[in-house]
Amino acid sequence: MKLYCITLVAFLGFLNLQAQEYYFPERNADWEVKSPKDFKIKDTKLNEAVDFAEANEYSGSRDLRIAIVKGFENEPFHKILGPTKKRGGPAGMILKNGYIVAQWGDTKRVDMTFSVTKSFLSTMAGLAEDEKLIFDTKNLVGDYIWDGTFDGAHNSKITWEHLLQQNSAWAGELWGGKDWADRPPSEGGIDDWKFATPKEPGTVMEYNDVRVNVLAYSLTHVWRKPMPLVLKEKIMDKIDASSTWRWFGYDDAWTEIDGLQMKSVTGGGHSGAGIFISAEDMARFGMLFLNNGKWKNDQLISDNWIKKATTPSAPNANYGYMWWLNKKGARHWEGLSENIYYAAGFGGNFIVIDKENDLVVVTRWLEPSKIGEFMSKVNAAF
């Protein structure tokens, strides 16, 4: 009888562990902190990971105008077109089941996030598909946007999925940015880049902010409202984010919809602009994805969309719908789960989702080449 009772208690404890819900902080509340030991996490190893993040600050200037110009100096015609902001020092949070088990730096400071913005932009497309504003990401964008942006034998082949996976090879100019001048090949010169035949859509991934901004422009017209307003109403207000984040476009990126002038935002800070946000609000966004699109019991993004967004694209196994994937490939973090996925931005900004360990990891201003080593140190604590 005694053995039976012990077995029953152990079984019920196991069920309780399996049914454990995540913690979701209220707006402007102090985020609840728990000791790593509460989750049987090796606190010494976790501290080593934090020390590593603090010791490996991004080497670029804290004046991000300087860092941006230096970082993209090989691009012809590159210049600052939108807002920038001097950055802070290294900062970050490690959440286990939603609770803070480690943090460093100023997690409330609002900073640029560069291409982390792309994962937010992708989510705007997901909401559009969930609400049937876009029937399917495999649809041609030109069936929705008929103002000439997708005219021509080449651009008319482009689907929403091509734009989301950055393999559209869209050809043209938007807000003063030329597709061929954005991150050009290391070989050749202006004539080679300008007159090169575009790749067939869906065959080659080319990281390109002009084409990402074409996606933002197209989604603005589909939603018929500015992307920051959609993000605020559909996501940020519902995850109890602060009121401090902002999403900017280039200074002259205005478009008219229904007789109203609207700013078309960018998907990064490559020439300024993008999302300016705190580590804590980034962590809230990460928790939404860790919980399969639900904040508490409110399904904000469909589980189906998250599966699509984290499915490897044909040309690049490490890239989905503007989320990086830890699959076997050029960007694989050895020794870590292949189910990890993450948002990544210039200067070492990351939101990492590790479902197997119930983790969200946010880093600000970590030397980008060190992220794999940092995550290995985090993993060693579990």
Side-chain angles (χ1 to χ4, degrees):
M1 184 65 180
K2 184 177 180 181
L3 180 59
Y4 170 79
C5 290
I6 292 173
T7 303
L8 180 61
V9 169
F11 178 69
L12 291 174
F14 172 76
L15 288 180
N16 183 61
L17 181 63
Q18 292 297 99
Q20 187 175 22
E21 294 184 356
Y22 294 141
Y23 160 73
F24 297 94
E26 300 297 327
R27 177 174 284 117
N28 293 325
D30 290 335
W31 203 306
E32 192 165 340
V33 177
K34 285 202 171 185
S35 168
K37 292 178 180 177
D38 291 339
F39 297 103
K40 298 182 180 179
I41 299 170
K42 304 179 187 72
D43 54 354
T44 301
K45 293 291 185 182
L46 201 62
N47 289 336
E48 287 178 7
V50 172
D51 291 344
F52 181 85
E54 292 183 309
N56 285 276
E57 179 179 349
Y58 167 55
S59 56
S61 174
R62 288 200 180 189
D63 185 337
L64 289 173
R65 291 183 63 87
I66 295 173
I68 291 168
V69 171
K70 180 66 177 175
F72 300 102
E73 62 183 349
N74 292 328
E75 294 185 13
F77 318 123
H78 179 261
K79 59 183 178 180
I80 304 293
L81 300 172
T84 64
K85 182 177 185 287
K86 291 183 179 180
R87 68 174 177 87
M93 305 171 69
I94 299 174
L95 308 181
K96 168 67 175 174
N97 291 7
Y99 298 95
I100 295 174
V101 291
Q103 61 182 326
W104 60 100
D106 185 352
T107 59
K108 294 184 183 296
R109 179 188 169 91
V110 174
D111 270 336
M112 296 180 71
T113 52
F114 294 90
S115 287
V116 167
T117 306
K118 291 177 174 59
S119 300
F120 285 83
L121 179 62
S122 164
T123 303
M124 300 301 93
L127 291 170
E129 186 179 81
D130 285 347
E131 297 194 15
K132 297 305 178 186
L133 299 176
I134 297 171
F135 184 73
D136 192 285
T137 53
K138 295 188 183 298
N139 292 165
L140 295 171
V141 187
D143 289 344
Y144 297 77
I145 309 299
W146 42 263
D147 61 3
T149 306
F150 293 91
D151 284 357
H154 175 75
N155 286 347
S156 63
K157 299 177 185 178
I158 294 171
T159 66
W160 293 101
E161 182 166 89
H162 293 146
L163 290 174
L164 287 159
Q165 294 176 340
Q166 296 213 65
N167 52 44
S168 73
W170 181 86
E173 182 174 335
L174 182 69
W175 316 132
K178 301 170 177 60
D179 74 279
W180 57 266
D182 189 301
R183 296 175 177 83
S186 55
E187 306 81 24
I190 288 179
D191 286 344
D192 301 297
W193 306 329
K194 184 176 181 179
F195 298 111
T197 302
K199 310 292 193 306
E200 186 68 15
T203 62
V204 179
M205 180 192 169
E206 295 178 304
Y207 209 80
N208 186 292
D209 274 43
V210 173
R211 294 164 184 160
V212 170
N213 294 340
V214 168
L215 172 62
Y217 170 83
S218 301
L219 287 171
T220 302
H221 279 263
V222 164
W223 278 100
R224 305 173 89 92
K225 61 176 68 173
M227 288 299 94
L229 185 58
V230 178
L231 178 61
K232 180 180 186 297
E233 292 177 346
K234 300 291 185 179
I235 300 294
M236 302 303 275
D237 282 353
K238 293 185 178 182
I239 64 174
D240 294 325
S242 75
S243 61
T244 63
W245 66 272
R246 299 290 185 273
W247 194 354
F248 295 106
Y250 298 146
D251 295 340
D252 63 350
W254 292 97
T255 186
E256 183 176 313
I257 304 174
D258 299 333
L260 300 174
Q261 290 292 312
M262 297 182 191
K263 177 63 69 81
S264 184
V265 294
T266 67
H270 173 233
S271 294
I275 287 182
F276 292 45
I277 194 170
S278 70
E280 291 189 9
D281 284 343
M282 289 168 72
R284 288 175 182 269
F285 188 69
M287 280 300 302
L288 178 63
F289 277 81
L290 183 71
N291 199 37
N292 299 318
K294 292 175 67 176
W295 186 263
K296 299 179 181 175
N297 294 315
D298 192 1
Q299 190 79 47
L300 305 183
I301 311 164
S302 69
D303 181 59
N304 181 61
W305 175 260
I306 294 179
K307 289 176 182 174
K308 289 178 70 168
T310 56
T311 296
S313 55
N316 190 330
N318 293 127
Y319 206 66
Y321 284 0
M322 296 188 174
W323 287 93
W324 289 98
L325 316 176
N326 194 42
K327 304 297 184 184
K328 293 290 185 183
R331 290 179 67 123
H332 178 60
W333 298 338
E334 290 292 340
L336 301 181
S337 169
E338 290 191 30
N339 294 322
I340 287 174
Y341 63 97
Y342 58 99
F346 177 85
N349 291 278
F350 296 92
I351 306 173
V352 182
I353 315 298
D354 181 355
K355 184 69 176 176
E356 291 180 16
N357 286 316
D358 297 304
L359 287 182
V360 171
V361 180
V362 173
T363 74
R364 314 299 309 267
W365 316 117
L366 171 70
E367 188 65 45
S369 64
K370 301 293 186 180
I371 182 63
E373 188 175 354
F374 168 73
M375 285 304 302
S376 292
K377 290 180 180 297
V378 172
N379 191 64
F382 289 83

